[in-house]
Amino acid sequence: MIRKWKERIYIIRREIILFFLLLFTLLCQLPDELHIWNSTWYAMDYSLGFDSRLLPGSILRLFYPDFLPAGAAYSFVLVSLILLLVMLSCVLGFALRRLEGLPAQKGLLLLIAFYLLSPGSPAYLWTSENMGRFDMFLLLMSLAAMICCFLIPSVWTDLILITLAGLSALCIHQAFIFLFFPLFFTMYLKTCAMEKEGKAPVIFAFAGMAAMAAAFLYFQLFSRIRIPSCEELVSLLSSRTDLPINDIALNYEYFSASTQSFAELVLPQLGERIRYGLVTIFLLSPLAALYGYLWIAILKSSGKKERVLYVLFLLSHLCIAPAFLMAIDWGRWFGAFLTMQALQIVFLAAKKDAVVLSALAALNRTYTRHPYLFFIAALWIGSLHKFQATLLPDAPIFFASLYKLYRLFF
């Protein structure tokens, strides 16, 4: 018995190491409370109407039907984060184990290392401004769909579960369609590509994506809650919980037109977001070089017929663009973008996609020839803070320091 347990532990050693490293990071950086902008929604549920953002609160209402203590909501978020780390460790460890003995394994390990060092690593989900944001639940649903695709051999079962996970994520937050859909798009098409019997799986996949688009439009344009005014909603929620109730957030979400929130929140800060966004892109340039290298290698390695598929995978990341135009939480958008870049390639590698494995093997050869470049890039990326909700904390500091340096000489 002991020998069997040792063998099992040895098999999943990568998952165990990754989990404890991530858990250590969580415990060292865990904020004391949920961020006030998002904490309100943990006290809201479907008794108020059928709207997005109400699923987590509805789950909590099952356990706390009369009154939700702030400590219970915080514990719910903490347990969710730990579950997320377990699932992420399983996904990354499984992908590495699938490539055991292949040249691509070291390339994938490099990719994972840079992802976990980057400002968009899972640690951005528990920075002070992001603690309790629903992005973590969207990533949880994405990881759950990946695990289903890894462990379940049935194509039809995988397609159904991917669809259910995507629709559930939309019930959590409609921003899912901008932030995490590229991974679902990849899972759909790759799963269909593995099925050689007819066009039915492809038709189902596109029907599933259409259903997600329809759900997004419903939650974004047509869903409503039954409370007629912000004051009444604040009064009701204050009687249900001792969590901070943010009337400004509630007013913009439920009682103001989209044009008003855009004019009052987005437009006044757009110039600042663009300035610090460009600085962020510069600070993330080693990651841009890494992903650029991989995608160029992928497109070069693919044949003419299959290249269209990889171009679609790459272009799917453009769906995040509307998020940058519609809301000011650019830090969250950058974090999700980096996460999707990593997990998309991890998924394809775990499925032993020959083109992606070739690109990862090429990355490993480049690392073997120029290890010092990767070491410098790792130090660069690892020295940056994790994303807050609105921006990378290093961006305004870097910009101000550069300006002071300019004034020193000019």
Side-chain angles (χ1 to χ4, degrees):
M1 179 67 71
I2 295 177
R3 184 179 178 182
K4 288 183 178 180
W5 275 105
K6 287 182 178 179
E7 290 175 353
R8 290 175 183 175
I9 291 173
Y10 180 77
I11 291 172
I12 61 171
R13 64 191 184 280
R14 298 178 184 87
E15 289 91 330
I16 294 172
I17 293 171
L18 284 169
F19 171 71
F20 280 107
L21 286 174
L22 291 169
L23 181 63
F24 177 77
T25 304
L26 171 65
L27 297 179
C28 288
Q29 302 172 357
L30 190 64
D32 295 328
E33 58 187 4
L34 307 183
H35 192 265
I36 188 173
W37 188 269
N38 201 67
S39 60
T40 304
W41 274 276
Y42 288 97
M44 298 180 67
D45 62 84
Y46 288 131
S47 66
L48 303 174
F50 187 67
D51 201 289
S52 69
R53 307 191 189 200
L54 302 185
L55 182 55
S58 297
I59 295 173
L60 279 168
R61 191 77 189 277
L62 296 175
F63 300 96
Y64 301 93
D66 300 319
F67 188 84
L68 174 65
Y74 183 89
S75 298
F76 178 70
V77 170
L78 180 56
V79 170
S80 299
L81 285 171
I82 294 173
L83 178 60
L84 184 150
L85 298 185
V86 170
M87 296 174 70
L88 179 62
S89 301
C90 290
V91 164
L92 299 180
F94 178 86
L96 289 169
R97 191 165 64 250
R98 286 277 289 171
L99 304 189
E100 186 79 55
L102 297 177
Q105 186 190 41
K106 291 183 179 179
L108 181 61
L109 184 59
L110 278 172
L111 174 69
I112 291 172
F114 272 84
Y115 163 58
L116 296 180
L117 284 171
S118 77
S121 77
Y124 91 90
L125 296 170
W126 57 79
T127 53
S128 59
E129 292 183 6
N130 284 330
M131 184 64 179
R133 302 272 185 177
F134 284 3
D135 304 41
M136 63 175 174
F137 298 121
L138 303 184
L139 182 54
L140 261 173
M141 299 309 301
S142 303
L143 293 170
M146 287 183 74
I147 291 172
C148 290
C149 290
F150 290 162
L151 301 182
I152 299 175
S154 169
V155 170
W156 281 102
T157 303
D158 287 341
L159 291 174
I160 292 170
L161 292 175
I162 291 169
T163 304
L164 292 176
L167 293 174
S168 300
L170 283 161
C171 290
I172 295 169
H173 200 304
Q174 71 269 31
F176 159 82
I177 207 74
F178 301 131
L179 306 183
F180 294 91
F181 182 73
L183 180 60
F184 280 71
F185 180 77
T186 304
M187 288 189 288
Y188 268 129
L189 295 195
K190 185 60 181 177
T191 302
C192 289
M194 298 173 65
E195 175 60 63
K196 304 300 182 182
E197 299 177 5
K199 298 180 179 179
V202 178
I203 296 172
F204 183 90
F206 279 94
M209 288 186 274
M212 290 184 195
F216 165 76
L217 291 174
Y218 169 77
F219 285 127
Q220 185 68 26
L221 301 176
F222 304 108
S223 63
R224 298 288 185 272
I225 59 172
R226 289 190 284 268
I227 308 300
S229 70
C230 186
E231 291 75 16
E232 290 182 51
L233 181 58
V234 170
S235 176
L236 174 62
L237 296 178
S238 297
S239 68
R240 287 186 176 186
T241 183
D242 56 353
L243 283 165
I245 305 300
N246 193 318
D247 59 325
I248 298 175
L250 291 173
N251 184 60
Y252 277 123
E253 179 63 24
Y254 298 113
F255 305 102
S256 300
S258 299
T259 52
Q260 179 183 349
S261 61
F262 182 80
E264 296 178 0
L265 288 178
V266 179
L267 280 181
Q269 302 185 54
L270 188 58
E272 180 186 86
R273 289 293 177 272
I274 293 173
R275 178 170 65 249
Y276 293 142
L278 292 174
V279 175
T280 297
I281 291 172
F282 169 74
L283 293 176
L284 296 176
S285 54
L287 278 179
L290 177 68
Y291 288 122
Y293 177 94
L294 280 173
W295 278 109
I296 290 171
I298 287 170
L299 295 177
K300 283 184 176 180
S301 301
S302 58
K304 289 184 179 180
K305 291 184 179 180
E306 58 185 3
R307 188 170 299 154
V308 174
L309 183 63
Y310 297 101
V311 170
L312 289 175
F313 289 157
L314 181 58
L315 292 179
S316 67
H317 293 283
L318 291 176
C319 71
I320 201 172
F324 285 91
L325 299 174
M326 294 172 60
I328 62 173
D329 292 357
W330 283 29
R332 292 167 60 198
W333 313 157
F334 272 117
F337 178 78
L338 295 180
T339 300
M340 289 299 95
Q341 284 283 340
L343 292 185
Q344 188 182 55
I345 295 176
V346 167
F347 176 79
L348 293 171
K351 287 293 185 178
K352 291 194 171 182
D353 184 283
V355 173
V356 171
L357 295 187
S358 174
L360 290 170
L363 177 64
N364 179 50
R365 290 193 296 271
T366 302
Y367 167 75
T368 303
R369 291 195 298 268
H370 308 288
Y372 57 91
L373 290 179
F374 287 84
F375 180 72
I376 293 171
L379 286 177
W380 179 322
I381 291 298
S383 67
L384 300 174
H385 292 83
K386 307 306 178 186
F387 282 112
Q388 294 286 353
T390 53
L391 47 75
L392 181 67
D394 308 80
I397 297 173
F398 181 85
F399 184 84
S401 301
L402 202 62
Y403 180 73
K404 290 175 184 177
L405 191 63
Y406 169 80
R407 291 296 301 271
L408 182 65
F409 293 101
F410 301 99

